[in-house]
Amino acid sequence: MDDTLRKDLMSVSVATLATALFKRGLRNQVIQGVHPVRPKGVNMVGPAYTLRYIPAREDRNQLSQFRNPEHPQRVAVESCPAGHVLVMDSRKDPRAASAGDILVTRLMVRGVAGVVTDGGFRDAATIGGLDIPAYHTRPSSPTNLTLHEALDLNVPIGCGDVAVFPGDIVVGDDDCVIVIPRDIAEEVGAEALEMTAYEDFVVEKVKAGTPIIGLYPRTKEEFAGEFDAWRKRNNR
């Protein structure tokens, strides 16, 4: 992933990115029902590496499966590239965990940029204290084998009602997570950076008592000159 793109996406909100994607006709890119295990105050950014779960079947999902060195969940933890985000399709079912603190710790040590599931994590309090962004729906103590069978690695998946393709750019902030198609990520990131600069200017003006009409969205030309001067003063 390009360092400039990563830097741009580190400094914009998911809400701003959602607006930039909305302008391009993409209205369903925010992963639904997912939130940070614990807010980090810094964005998660990286290409998607995916893991797909299907419903568990009792004859295939005993604890002995974890002894299999080819178990897809374990392989995902060891094969997700550094700087990527592991995104798990857990069928929006948090009744059994998608992973726990030991596996997420391993992802952190390997330099993975973050982990996302539309299910739940066990040991969520411990995961929240790790130095890796993690997003889920809620804590879930039962082992994943209770309800989930890890099946496919790095294939297209659905996560929280969003299509996620390997290599899509995943961004998470302290609110939620968004998926940006890889082929438009650079232009979306650049536009979101410009939008963020103007929004910061707007917030400053609103706090000073300026009415919102004509300012946001900008329809009064007087604000164009003010914004340019503000950018120069603030090196934006």
Side-chain angles (χ1 to χ4, degrees):
M1 181 177 176
D2 179 77
D3 288 341
T4 299
L5 175 59
R6 187 183 296 274
K7 182 179 178 181
D8 287 351
L9 294 176
M10 289 290 291
S11 59
V12 299
S13 70
V14 167
T16 299
L17 289 166
T19 300
L21 288 168
F22 180 82
K23 292 178 181 179
R24 291 161 173 79
L26 294 167
R27 304 184 178 198
N28 187 43
Q29 299 305 118
V30 175
I31 296 178
Q32 296 299 304
V34 166
H35 59 272
V37 176
R38 184 179 299 173
K40 301 295 185 183
V42 62
N43 281 6
M44 170 189 73
V45 179
Y49 186 88
T50 64
L51 170 64
R52 184 171 76 95
Y53 286 106
I54 64 171
R57 199 175 73 187
E58 287 77 5
D59 62 329
R60 293 175 55 89
N61 288 275
Q62 301 300 313
L63 281 174
S64 59
Q65 289 299 315
F66 285 149
R67 297 180 179 276
N68 178 4
E70 297 181 357
H71 187 271
Q73 184 204 46
R74 268 42 179 181
V75 174
V77 169
E78 295 297 336
S79 61
C80 181
H84 284 55
V85 174
L86 178 60
V87 183
M88 292 180 274
D89 171 5
S90 295
R91 302 174 295 111
K92 300 192 297 181
D93 190 344
R95 292 177 298 157
S98 302
D101 68 311
I102 292 175
L103 300 189
V104 177
T105 298
R106 178 59 179 161
L107 291 168
M108 177 187 71
V109 170
R110 293 191 56 250
V112 171
V115 56
V116 180
T117 177
D118 61 359
F121 288 126
R122 67 195 310 193
D123 316 304
T126 302
I127 290 172
L130 296 175
D131 189 22
I132 181 174
Y135 296 78
H136 71 168
T137 61
R138 65 166 173 82
S140 181
S141 293
T143 178
N144 69 309
L145 296 169
T146 309
L147 292 171
H148 306 308
E149 178 177 344
L151 191 68
D152 291 322
L153 288 176
N154 222 27
V155 297
I157 62 169
C159 184
D161 294 323
V162 175
V164 185
F165 291 82
D168 281 349
I169 303 302
V170 182
V171 181
D173 62 12
D174 284 350
D175 289 334
C176 44
V177 179
I178 195 165
V179 179
I180 308 172
R182 182 66 187 88
D183 60 348
I184 61 170
E186 285 82 2
E187 65 180 73
V188 168
E191 180 173 344
L193 200 64
E194 290 295 305
M195 292 169 63
T196 298
Y198 187 70
E199 288 166 358
D200 290 347
F201 164 73
V202 167
V203 168
E204 192 172 300
K205 294 288 291 182
V206 170
K207 286 181 176 179
T210 303
I212 205 73
I213 304 301
L215 172 66
Y216 186 72
R218 189 178 72 201
T219 58
K220 292 183 179 179
E221 281 306 309
E222 64 190 82
F223 293 121
E226 288 188 44
F227 177 51
D228 288 341
W230 179 90
R231 295 194 79 167
K232 289 177 182 177
R233 288 196 307 272
N234 292 278
N235 295 317
R236 299 289 295 274

